[in-house]
Amino acid sequence: MNSSIRWTYLKPREIVSELLKKGYSVSRNIVRYLLKKHEYVKRKAQKNITMGGHPDRNAQFENITQLKQDYLDAGNPVISMDTKKKELLGTFYRNGSLYRQAAIQTNDHDFPSSATGSVIPHGFYDLKRNTGYITLGTSHDTSEFACDS
């Protein structure tokens, strides 16, 4: 064991098992107590370490903003296109809630092999007309998908 490590993925029962292998007999309650006493709690990673930005980042966005305005002033279309993450189709869990009379039953795991397929949303937005379209498709080739849309 490395004493400099200050975290673990192990659950209390797994810690008990590892300690038993080393000849120490301890209960899960004691492990839980010690974790709490030493202020070890379940935590998720937090994205808070900045990696810095490109020195020309602001200039890039200012240039894009100016070009966009020039095109709009000239009566030309300005479009925005994007393809989002694919979603598996099937009886998979989805975040959110809705009103129903009975619970929705879903698979306990989201294995791609259990999917009936996948869908990829592709969005197209015309800034001048304030009009957008969403196409749902199955192509993983973004440029092919965009052209087909």
Side-chain angles (χ1 to χ4, degrees), residues 5 14 20 71 83 88 108 120 138-139 142:
I5 294 176
E14 295 168 325
L20 277 172
Y71 274 81
T83 299
L88 297 175
D108 59 349
I120 305 166
T138 58
S139 174
T142 303

Side-chain angles (χ1 to χ4, degrees), residues 122-134:
H122 175 261
F124 179 89
Y125 178 69
D126 183 335
L127 276 72
K128 184 167 181 63
R129 293 182 177 158
N130 192 27
T131 304
Y133 302 93
I134 295 178

